[in-house]
């Protein structure tokens, strides 16, 4: 039986260049889907999976992200006085216990692998999750919870996986699939951003991981690879090479790549249409806007 996963690392030190100029002053993770910052979706998913220790790997200029998790007593008092209990509840649901979040700095954006390595002293000798907040997953049972449940049976390292179109494979880490057991596959290898036409499968890794502490040790030994960055994929691939178990997990749910503008817009539309308070008005707008566009063509 695998040890319970209670710590999660949130690497949020990237520069978010695809959202310039907004990301000059707003961390990407604070951009909102409807009215909730991307990071809130990730935190809620982590909490549902039983995570109690949240480790943020941040960088210069990410103050808004740290401030977001502070309590705002004046605002709470004002809402209480005004009897706005519904808003008070929304605010309270975002409150974090004091000391639940730790921040470490990545002094230079050297890649995702390096960002995770920066958290090594806070993890110790236990399995831990890594969550990339720009991958937002709409799912009945939150994705990390699905993974934690599957991991209890497999142990080792596990990555969230989904099928992608062959011409998109070079944008992802791709699994070389060994045994395919439905939602679970054993990984025979893993390659980050394979050159077009060389991907070992079309099963891509997306931003949810459960990793063993050995991966942290591997991270201290890897060299820059794809994009000149220190890649988490390479440290996980070392586990496979050492004969230790790495599984891909096909999660149930819809993943949105909110690190890209198109993915962010798709998520905005999907999440707005899922909201009872917005779906009628927004749905009507979308239908009209689409009809007008088709008429104009
Ligand atoms: P991305 O590849 O999306 O990079 O990183 P980015 O800097 O956030 O965005 P673009 O490509 O410039 O628009 C994936 C995740 O890894 C983190 C990012 O914050 C994001 O959550 N990351 C990446 C780091 O924390 N440090 C790094 O050095 C690189």
């Amino acid at each position: 039986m695998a040890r319970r996963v209670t710590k999660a690392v949130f690497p949020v030190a990237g520069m978010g260049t695809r959202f310039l100029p907004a990301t000059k002053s707003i961390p990407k993770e604070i951009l909102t889907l409807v009215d909730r910052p991307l990071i809130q979706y990730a935190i809620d998913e982590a909490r549902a999976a039983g995570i109690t220790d949240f480790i943020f790997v941040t960088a210069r200029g990410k103050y808004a992200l740290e401030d977001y998790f502070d309590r705002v007593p004046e605002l709470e008092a004002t809402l209480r006085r005004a009897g706005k209990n519904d808003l008070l509840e929304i605010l309270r649901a975002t409150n974090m216990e004091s000391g639940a979040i730790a921040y470490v700095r990545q002094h230079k954006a050297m890649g995702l692998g390096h960002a995770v390595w920066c958290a090594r002293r806070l993890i110790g000798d236990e399995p831990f999750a890594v969550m990339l907040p720009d991958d937002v997953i709409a799912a009945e049972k939150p994705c990390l919870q699905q993974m934690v449940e599957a991991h209890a049976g497999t142990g080792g390292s596990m990555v969230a996986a989904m099928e992608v179109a062959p011409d998109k494979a070079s944008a992802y880490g791709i699994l070389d699939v060994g045994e395919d057991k439905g939602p679970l596959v054993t990984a025979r290898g893993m390659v980050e951003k394979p050159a077009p036409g060389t991907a070992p499968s079309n099963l891509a890794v997306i931003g949810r991981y459960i990793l063993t502490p050995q991966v942290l040790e591997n991270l201290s030994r890897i060299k820059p690879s794809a994009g000149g960055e220190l890649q988490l994929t390479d440290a996980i691939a070392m586990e496979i090479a050492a004969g230790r178990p790495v599984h891909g997990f096909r999660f149930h749910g819809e993943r949105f790549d909110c690190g890209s503008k198109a993915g962010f817009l798709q998520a905005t539309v999907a999440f707005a249409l899922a909201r009872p308070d917005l779906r009628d008005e927004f749905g009507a707008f979308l239908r009209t806007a689409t009809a007008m566009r088709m008429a104009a063509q």
Side-chain angles (χ1 to χ4, degrees), residues 10-20 23 28-29 57-59 62 106 108-116 131-135 193 229-230 257-260:
F10 299 80
V12 289
M15 288 186 279
T17 54
R18 284 171 287 173
F19 281 92
L20 281 170
T23 42
K28 177 172 67 173
E29 302 75 20
V57 183
T58 69
K62 298 272 180 171
Q106 184 189 28
K108 198 172 168 205
M110 292 166 68
L112 176 59
H114 182 257
V116 172
M131 302 184 74
L132 307 191
D134 40 12
D135 273 335
K193 300 192 175 59
E229 296 193 333
L230 293 167
D257 174 12
C258 292
S260 78

Side-chain angles (χ1 to χ4, degrees), residues 117-291:
W117 178 78
C118 289
R120 66 199 179 283
R121 290 198 174 85
L122 297 180
I123 291 166
D125 191 24
E126 58 187 286
F128 62 99
V130 175
M131 302 184 74
L132 307 191
D134 40 12
D135 273 335
V136 176
I137 300 165
E140 219 162 282
K141 182 185 280 187
C143 178
L144 190 66
Q145 191 182 345
Q146 297 175 37
M147 289 176 70
V148 164
E149 287 173 8
H151 183 261
T154 63
S157 291
M158 181 178 282
V159 297
M162 70 175 205
E163 257 84 27
V164 296
D167 64 326
K168 297 276 189 293
S170 53
Y172 292 88
I174 298 288
L175 292 174
D176 185 356
V177 176
E179 209 184 335
D180 196 332
K181 301 177 267 189
L184 275 174
V185 304
T186 56
R188 223 167 28 190
M190 221 171 137
V191 49
E192 185 63 33
K193 300 192 175 59
T198 66
S201 77
N202 64 343
L203 199 56
V205 176
I206 63 116
R208 301 288 182 274
Y209 309 78
I210 297 176
L211 302 175
T212 60
Q214 284 92 333
V215 174
L216 293 171
E217 285 191 35
N218 300 347
L219 281 170
S220 58
R221 284 186 279 132
I222 57 169
K223 301 267 176 293
S225 63
E229 296 193 333
L230 293 167
Q231 297 290 355
L232 185 57
T233 301
D234 293 344
I236 302 172
M238 282 170 75
E239 288 297 283
I240 303 171
R244 288 188 284 266
V246 175
H247 288 91
F249 178 76
R250 291 191 184 93
F251 56 94
H252 289 287
E254 189 176 5
R255 172 256 188 182
F256 296 94
D257 174 12
C258 292
S260 78
K261 284 187 269 256
F264 191 90
L265 290 169
Q266 287 160 19
T268 301
V269 171
F271 279 75
L273 290 176
R275 284 271 294 256
D277 56 332
L278 289 171
R279 100 176 119 219
D280 291 348
E281 189 179 345
F282 187 57
F285 163 76
L286 281 183
R287 281 192 294 279
T288 316
T290 313

